[in-house]
Amino acid sequence: MSNGTPEPLVRFINVRKSYDGKADAVRALNLDVETGEFLTLLGPSGSGKTTTLTMLAGFEQPTEGRIFVGGADVTRVPVEKRGIGMVFQNYALFPNMTVGENIAFPLTVRRTPRAEIAAKVARALSMVRLDGLADRRPQQLSGGQQQRVAVARALVFEPRLVLLDEPLGALDRQLREQMQYELKHLHARLGVTMVYVTHDQIEAMTMSDRVAVFSTGQLRQVAPPRLLYEAPESLFVAQFLGESNTLPGTIARLSGSECSVTLADGTTVIATAVGACAAGTAVNVAVRPEKMVLGAAAAACANKVQATLLEVSFLGDQLRLRLGAFGREDIVVKLANGAGQETLDPGAVLTIGWHAGDCRALAS
Ligand code: ADP
Ligand code: MG
């Protein structure tokens, strides 16, 4: 490209997909996947993640728009000609083949010489830490081991792109967390581009270079995990990733990137203005529970309010407080577990505060 930016490995241009000619499963999708990156499609069930992935794989055709891989238009290229590795939630291993035969399958169909197959299968097995299990049948393996076989099978022909659709969904929590790190380390070691689908925000944040958030068929924001969490551009993203206190109000005044917002109960808060905001715009002010502070620290903040402590939950690593303020009873504050919190009793009146930079006025 003329500006020196490397061309993305994948490019969706104005992609729309309708299965029934009425509702759009995916619409107006413009998304690039950079070479070597780990990009996750995140969103609730039915938001269009799998549809996006299956169009990239070639199992489904876009109703409108084009898809490019490595600079070439693949919109009408059949699945087997795209050279993409795939891993699904249900493993989809062949039950009547051994582990070794399963992993060899993509090489066999590509008519790879036998000696080369043996070496590549051994390497793939070792990559997913299953050395010595080539002769087992899939049903003789645990769920985690079966999923590793599926990953090895997707990687064995050294594709430039691997797609994974909720691959850890069937595993229990501990194994899932362990496999998240295994996949992330495998990605780092091989440098292969991965596009991953999950509805689990922690999984997405753990593994990804960037996360693309979907809701009802639309890409809402794509950014590195930290930016997505700290600087959501919409109420949907603020609420889907982590927890947010959201206070409806109206913009009273704008000055630079800051604005003052009049809340429903008449109080005013200072917030960071996001997007095209103007005085009179209805917004939701979003504040993360861990950005709210108490007592002396609160006194130093641009935003502070007297609040009544309603409920204290001990969560081990943190305390979760529910408070009444702004005419509401659902203000949540999270404090890291530490000293001096023994005196937090329901009924106490506390000052809670937060900085203008930690609170965003999001047009709804
Ligand atoms: P996700 O993977 O985010 O859960 P999907 O891409 O599977 O979402 O689905 C997006 C929308 O498309 C949903 O409304 C779903 O019901 C619909 N859909 C998905 N696959 C099909 C299909 N094969 N035929 C008809 N509708 C489908
Ligand atoms: Mg899906």
Side-chain angles (χ1 to χ4, degrees):
M1 280 178 154
S2 55
N3 60 5
T5 315
E7 191 163 297
L9 181 59
V10 176
R11 174 162 274 181
F12 289 88
I13 300 176
N14 285 323
V15 168
R16 180 173 78 86
K17 173 68 181 179
S18 176
Y19 290 100
D20 58 8
K22 292 188 219 104
D24 288 341
V26 170
R27 68 171 162 280
L29 177 63
N30 289 288
L31 174 66
D32 286 353
V33 184
E34 305 303 331
T35 301
E37 97 172 312
F38 193 117
L39 179 103
T40 294
L41 314 182
L42 173 71
S45 174
S47 57
K49 309 180 296 292
T50 294
T51 300
T52 300
L53 210 66
T54 50
M55 287 191 290
L56 178 52
F59 293 116
E60 292 288 350
Q61 297 262 306
T63 308
E64 266 176 43
R66 317 219 61 81
I67 301 172
F68 289 78
V69 177
D73 186 340
V74 299
T75 316
R76 305 286 167 222
V77 173
V79 177
E80 66 278 7
K81 296 254 167 65
R82 294 195 189 189
I84 296 175
M86 270 167 293
V87 185
F88 305 97
Q89 175 170 343
N90 55 8
Y91 322 136
L93 299 177
F94 306 111
N96 53 346
M97 289 186 190
T98 65
V99 164
E101 288 162 351
N102 263 280
I103 297 174
F105 185 77
L107 301 173
T108 314
V109 298
R110 284 173 175 77
R111 303 184 191 290
T112 309
R114 282 177 71 97
E116 203 177 311
I117 290 184
K120 285 188 167 169
V121 168
R123 189 140 40 93
L125 269 171
S126 153
M127 209 152 62
V128 296
R129 303 191 299 111
L130 290 176
D131 309 75
L133 297 186
D135 297 328
R136 297 265 187 100
R137 301 267 164 187
Q139 59 272 26
Q140 295 174 298
L141 302 179
S142 71
Q145 289 174 323
Q146 289 185 46
Q147 198 49 287
R148 290 211 200 97
V149 175
V151 169
R153 189 179 55 182
L155 292 169
V156 73
F157 64 101
E158 293 161 38
R160 54 189 169 168
L161 178 59
V162 178
L163 312 182
L164 305 100
D165 193 349
E166 312 240 10
L168 310 182
L171 308 179
D172 66 45
R173 190 178 59 83
Q174 281 201 347
L175 188 55
R176 200 163 68 226
E177 286 172 4
Q178 182 196 329
M179 291 285 296
Q180 286 168 7
Y181 285 101
E182 273 187 34
L183 281 175
K184 182 176 164 153
H185 297 157
L186 204 54
H187 168 259
R189 215 162 65 234
L190 300 178
V192 62
T193 307
M194 290 187 170
V195 181
Y196 191 92
V197 163
T198 184
H199 62 272
D200 181 335
Q201 39 137 336
I202 302 293
E203 183 162 296
M205 289 201 271
T206 302
M207 303 179 76
S208 317
D209 296 314
R210 288 191 308 154
V211 178
V213 183
F214 282 73
S215 82
T216 58
Q218 273 179 290
L219 173 61
R220 300 303 301 266
Q221 191 173 354
V222 53
R226 185 173 202 111
L227 192 62
L228 212 54
Y229 185 86
E230 304 281 1
E233 284 166 6
S234 63
L235 187 61
F236 178 82
V237 172
Q239 289 182 329
F240 193 72
L241 259 90
E243 202 174 356
S244 269
N245 290 294
T246 51
L247 309 166
T250 308
I251 294 194
R253 209 164 37 78
L254 268 173
S255 77
S257 63
E258 277 193 0
C259 60
S260 59
V261 177
T262 308
L263 302 183
D265 73 331
T267 48
T268 298
V269 299
I270 310 297
T272 303
V274 179
C277 278
T281 309
V283 290
N284 280 285
V285 173
V287 196
R288 298 287 185 195
E290 74 277 14
K291 302 287 189 189
M292 287 186 167
V293 292
L294 302 183
C301 294
N303 297 304
K304 43 188 168 282
V305 68
Q306 296 283 99
T308 309
L309 186 54
L310 300 174
E311 195 173 13
V312 180
S313 309
F314 179 70
L315 303 181
D317 60 339
Q318 59 185 4
L319 288 182
R320 189 171 190 279
L321 314 182
R322 185 168 64 83
L323 301 114
F326 307 113
R328 315 163 59 97
E329 300 197 325
D330 61 352
I331 305 297
V332 173
V333 176
K334 287 182 189 161
L335 303 175
N337 182 4
Q341 296 167 348
E342 306 76 27
T343 54
L344 290 171
D345 292 317
V349 176
L350 308 166
T351 306
I352 58 173
W354 65 94
H355 296 290
D358 287 334
C359 119
R360 297 171 67 76
L362 303 164
S364 24

